[in-house]
């Protein structure tokens, strides 16, 4: 099997990346194409459905819609691939549960039969970072690095569901102190700095953002204060919903907790494949880093200009 | 001594396990909750509990001992599902999954917050996305996609109307629509009762 056949995935978009942060979708497509991996479209895929809300309302509904999404990739004979921790949580947990509990698989297929679909199983849902780190490997990525940052301090934010529940994840049970994401980030010459409570949740998930936005913003406030304290130039994340919370939520925290934080936060938030793509020498236009519109009220809400200045100084 | 154990400790534990909510956990295959010793490791690692009144240990305890106010309390909706409690529980209880199940029971009894209900009923059921970009009201998101070299709508349910129908059919088939209708009804009845109480006052 040649490499291109080996790295074929069904690109599961989810909601937040395609519908609110399309720069993330663009950058994943550009980087995977550059690495010789093929992303097939999952035509007609729905919301994963989001694990903190829809699973919390009705577990069987969550499982069945997730199974339908996975079955679209099965028809193409590929693993679903997602760049979102929430979608990853849903697709992977649903897959894991159905692989281990035959009665769930049976129940799901009774419903899917009504729309002429079938869930077979076996095809493991993967995260973009999992494909990069475990399928392709750090050495393969290193071979593609063209430009290196000379001085860029990065606060890496893993998010929760890429790591946990650890018994359903591919990281050998490691969730307290993983390093895979830091290793990928540091390929670019950037330094992944340590900061207090690095693995803390962004605050968006679990239906909390929809329930009480101020509580979400308070998680974010604490996170951002720790990141600023450590002297980070940028935040790197691997989840569009964390991304939304760290970007839009950063603005909200600046408003709601104005009196607590002193100077407003202004740390640019960059998705992993945007950073990696720059280092590979991919056109920043393809990585969603250049604004080509006059729309108001769209992301990024926290300016990424300071980061682009660093890019100009150090990479070009 | 052993008499005291029988009288004061074991009796309460039994009472807990036999509560109506506890029975629902057992029915859902989560009888593992019987091994909770209420140690508080879950609460100790909880990022939500650091800033809100949500206490994981207390929510689980209230559920097991049949304190049904836990279902109507907003606290159970403040868990961000970060899974630290799940990972760190020394009794191997999937604590986060218990909270999710507890929320399922709450919704069944009509305890669902308005923004959650609207997200489920008016957005997810109608569009197939939790965060949609279709329709005239979302024009700017379509323009934003185009500005980054993407088609205005993604190849998801948004460009496949028959896929939206599939999702809706599945949601009907599995009882989601019925669940939401029932939740709305119970919520409405409760609101009316509250109104009457106010009038009497």
């Amino acid at each position: 099997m040649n490499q291109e056949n080996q790295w074929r995935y069904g690109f599961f978009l989810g909601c937040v990346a395609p519908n609110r942060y399309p720069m993330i979708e663009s950058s994943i497509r550009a980087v995977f194409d550059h690495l010789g991996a093929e992303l097939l479209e999952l035509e007609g895929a729905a919301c994963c459905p989001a694990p903190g809300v829809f699973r919390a309302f009705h577990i069987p509904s969550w499982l069945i819609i997730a199974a339908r999404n996975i079955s679209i990739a099965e028809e193409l004979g590929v693993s679903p691939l997602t760049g979102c921790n929430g979608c990853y949580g849903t697709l992977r947990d649903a897959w894991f549960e159905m692989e281990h509990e035959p009665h769930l698989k049976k129940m799901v297929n009774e419903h899917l039969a009504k729309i002429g679909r079938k869930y077979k199983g076996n095809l493991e849902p993967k995260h973009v970072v999992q494909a990069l780190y475990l399928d392709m490997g750090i050495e393969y990525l290193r071979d593609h690095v063209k430009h290196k940052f000379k001085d860029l301090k990065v606060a890496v934010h893993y998010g929760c569901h890429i790591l946990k529940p650890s018994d359903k994840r591919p990281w050998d049970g490691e969730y307290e102190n993983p390093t895979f994401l830091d290793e990928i980030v540091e390929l670019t010459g950037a330094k992944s700095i340590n900061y207090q409570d690095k693995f803390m949740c962004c605050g968006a998930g679990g239906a909390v953002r929809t329930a009480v936005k101020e509580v979400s913003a308070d998680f974010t406030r604490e996170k951002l204060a720790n990141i600023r304290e450590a002297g980070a130039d940028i935040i790197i994340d691997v989840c569009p919903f964390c991304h939304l919370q760290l970007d839009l939520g950063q603005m909200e925290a600046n408003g709601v907790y104005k009196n607590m934080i002193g100077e407003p936060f202004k740390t640019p938030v960059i998705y992993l494949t945007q950073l990696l793509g720059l280092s590979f020498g991919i056109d920043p236009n393809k990585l969603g880093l250049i604004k080509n519109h006059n729309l108001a009220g769209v992301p990024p809400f926290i300016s990424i200009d300071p980061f682009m200045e660093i890019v100009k100084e150090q990479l070009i | 001594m052993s008499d005291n154990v029988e009288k004061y400790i074991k009796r309460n534990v039994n009472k807990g396990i036999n509560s109506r909510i506890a029975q629902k956990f057992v029915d859902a295959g989560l009888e593992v909750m019987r091994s909770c010793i209420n140690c508080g490791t879950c609460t100790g690692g909880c990022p939500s509990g650091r800033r809100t009144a949500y206490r994981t240990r207390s929510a689980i305890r209230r559920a097991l001992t049949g304190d049904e106010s836990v279902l109507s309390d907003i606290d159970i909706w403040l868990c961000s599902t970060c899974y630290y409690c799940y990972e760190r529980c020394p009794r191997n209880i999937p604590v986060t999954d218990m909270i999710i199940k507890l929320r399922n029971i709450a919704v069944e009894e009509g305890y669902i917050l308005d923004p959650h209900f609207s997200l489920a009923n008016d957005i997810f059921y109608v569009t197939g996305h939790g965060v949609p970009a279709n329709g005239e009201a979302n024009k700017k998101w379509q323009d934003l996609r185009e500005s980054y070299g993407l088609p205005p709508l993604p190849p998801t349910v948004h460009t496949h109307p028959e896929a939206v129908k599939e999702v809706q059919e599945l949601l009907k088939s599995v009882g989601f629509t019925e669940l939401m209708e029932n939740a709305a009804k119970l919520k409405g009845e409760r609101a009316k009762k509250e109104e009457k109480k106010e009038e009497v006052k």
Side-chain angles (χ1 to χ4, degrees):
Chain A
M1 200 189 270
N2 68 30
Q3 273 180 359
E4 279 190 26
N5 279 336
Q6 193 185 339
W7 297 330
R8 287 176 89 221
Y9 306 98
F11 191 19
F12 184 81
L13 293 167
C15 297
V16 178
N19 298 341
R20 292 297 179 272
Y21 283 80
M23 55 289 268
I24 294 178
E25 179 185 338
S26 294
S27 73
I28 294 173
R29 290 184 187 276
V31 165
F32 272 64
D33 185 52
H34 186 84
L35 292 169
E38 196 183 348
L39 296 184
L40 307 176
E41 304 298 344
L42 297 183
E43 301 287 343
C47 173
C48 59
V53 275
F54 302 120
R55 183 167 63 132
F57 303 155
H58 193 221
I59 294 167
S61 301
W62 165 82
L63 193 66
I64 282 164
I65 302 298
R68 177 187 171 274
N69 285 328
I70 299 172
S71 80
I72 298 174
E74 283 177 352
E75 281 176 13
L76 303 171
V78 292
S79 274
L81 176 94
T82 168
C84 172
N85 287 1
C87 300
Y88 187 54
T90 280
L91 298 181
R92 203 171 165 93
D93 291 355
W95 165 77
F96 190 95
E97 283 175 25
M98 287 186 285
E99 292 295 295
H100 287 84
E101 310 265 355
H103 76 275
L104 287 179
K105 195 164 153 180
K106 191 167 162 272
M107 181 275 284
V108 161
N109 274 322
E110 280 166 14
H111 290 281
L112 287 181
K114 295 182 188 170
I115 57 160
R117 289 190 185 270
K118 191 173 181 207
Y119 171 85
K120 296 192 209 79
N122 301 321
L123 289 168
E124 170 193 5
K126 293 180 177 179
H127 193 288
V128 158
V129 178
Q130 182 183 354
L132 294 173
Y133 191 82
L134 294 178
D135 290 1
M136 300 177 195
I138 206 94
E139 290 312 316
Y140 184 76
L141 300 180
R142 196 193 311 276
D143 288 345
H144 286 79
V145 171
K146 263 197 191 156
H147 312 295
K148 280 193 159 191
F149 287 96
K150 295 176 189 77
D151 178 24
L152 175 68
K153 291 188 279 304
V154 171
V156 169
H157 172 74
Y158 279 77
C160 301
H161 299 161
I162 193 172
L163 299 169
K164 296 170 278 179
S166 64
D167 56 332
K168 298 171 189 171
R169 297 294 178 269
W171 315 112
D172 293 329
E174 178 61 76
Y175 71 92
E176 294 274 7
N177 279 304
T179 58
F180 58 87
L181 190 49
D182 310 84
E183 290 170 44
I184 298 176
V185 164
E186 294 203 332
L187 287 176
T188 68
K191 169 105 184 93
S192 167
I193 58 165
N194 201 10
Y195 62 95
Q196 196 181 331
D197 279 330
K198 176 173 164 182
F199 295 95
M200 187 187 139
C201 172
C202 69
V208 177
R209 188 179 161 81
T210 317
V212 191
K213 208 169 270 177
E214 290 77 6
V215 172
S216 283
D218 192 56
F219 277 72
T220 315
R221 175 198 58 74
E222 183 180 338
K223 186 113 209 169
L224 289 166
N226 292 339
I227 285 170
R228 180 164 70 182
E229 177 72 26
D233 296 312
I234 61 168
I235 297 168
I236 289 290
D237 58 25
V238 292
C239 170
F241 202 31
C242 297
H243 197 93
L244 179 148
Q245 186 58 29
L246 293 169
D247 178 45
L248 175 60
Q250 186 165 168
M251 204 173 71
E252 289 162 355
N254 281 342
V256 178
Y257 299 108
K258 194 165 57 190
N259 298 331
M260 273 175 88
I261 59 176
E263 281 287 300
F265 296 118
K266 49 175 190 204
T267 310
V269 188
I270 308 292
Y271 191 86
L272 176 69
T273 42
Q274 293 184 300
L275 179 80
L276 207 52
L278 286 171
S279 181
F280 290 169
I282 299 173
D283 178 354
N285 269 298
K286 289 189 175 168
L287 298 169
L289 288 164
I290 310 292
K291 184 182 154 186
N292 277 320
H293 61 76
N294 294 313
L295 302 163
V298 297
F301 294 100
I302 300 297
S303 171
I304 62 166
D305 291 349
F307 171 61
M308 294 314 284
E309 285 302 317
I310 295 175
V311 171
K312 272 183 210 152
E313 280 166 26
Q314 299 184 17
L315 290 195
I316 300 169
Chain B
M1 180 65 194
S2 67
D3 281 357
N4 283 346
V5 170
E6 192 66 32
K7 196 170 164 192
Y8 296 112
I9 301 173
K10 203 172 165 193
R11 187 194 57 181
N12 285 334
V13 170
N14 277 337
K15 182 183 159 209
I17 286 169
N18 293 333
S19 83
R20 198 172 61 95
I21 308 174
Q23 190 54 48
K24 288 195 178 189
F25 281 130
V26 174
D27 295 345
L30 288 166
E31 55 269 73
V32 61
M33 54 82 186
R34 285 175 200 268
S35 61
C36 176
I37 50 170
N38 214 27
C39 70
T41 303
C42 47
T43 297
C46 178
S48 187
R50 281 191 228 164
R51 66 202 77 248
T52 70
Y54 171 57
R55 298 289 178 268
T56 320
R57 162 167 65 177
S58 157
I60 298 284
R61 189 68 189 155
R62 283 161 76 192
L64 296 186
T65 53
D67 173 0
E68 299 201 2
S69 69
V70 71
L71 297 177
S72 56
D73 205 321
I74 194 173
D75 285 4
I76 55 169
W77 297 97
L78 299 182
C79 159
S80 71
T81 67
C82 79
Y83 278 92
Y84 268 124
C85 53
Y86 175 109
E87 296 288 347
R88 291 174 176 168
C89 174
R91 306 288 279 178
N92 259 334
I93 298 170
V95 185
T96 318
D97 294 347
M98 302 269 296
I99 298 296
I100 294 281
K101 180 65 194 166
L102 201 52
R103 289 178 177 183
N104 270 221
I105 300 170
V107 172
E108 226 176 271
E109 315 230 331
Y111 295 108
I112 180 169
L113 300 171
D114 289 338
H116 288 153
F117 182 80
S118 154
L119 177 64
N121 214 49
D122 310 333
I123 298 178
F124 175 55
Y125 182 78
V126 174
T127 68
H129 269 301
V131 185
N134 62 339
E136 201 44 44
N138 282 317
K139 181 79 171 45
K140 75 172 175 187
W141 301 114
Q142 297 157 28
D143 293 345
L144 186 68
R145 283 182 58 81
E146 281 194 295
S147 84
Y148 288 110
L150 297 164
L153 288 172
T156 59
V157 278
H158 272 353
T159 41
H160 294 273
E162 75 288 355
V164 180
K165 290 225 171 68
E166 279 187 20
V167 169
Q168 291 173 343
E169 205 171 319
L170 288 175
L171 290 176
K172 270 183 213 146
S173 166
V174 71
F176 184 80
T177 29
E178 204 183 326
L179 176 78
M180 286 297 139
E181 278 165 20
N182 187 50
K185 200 182 111 203
L186 292 173
K187 220 174 138 83
E189 283 171 5
R190 219 171 274 129
K192 261 190 197 158
K193 255 188 212 161
E194 287 300 313
E195 254 174 47
K196 265 193 191 153
K197 259 191 213 164
E198 283 298 312
E199 275 172 28
V200 171
K201 269 184 198 170

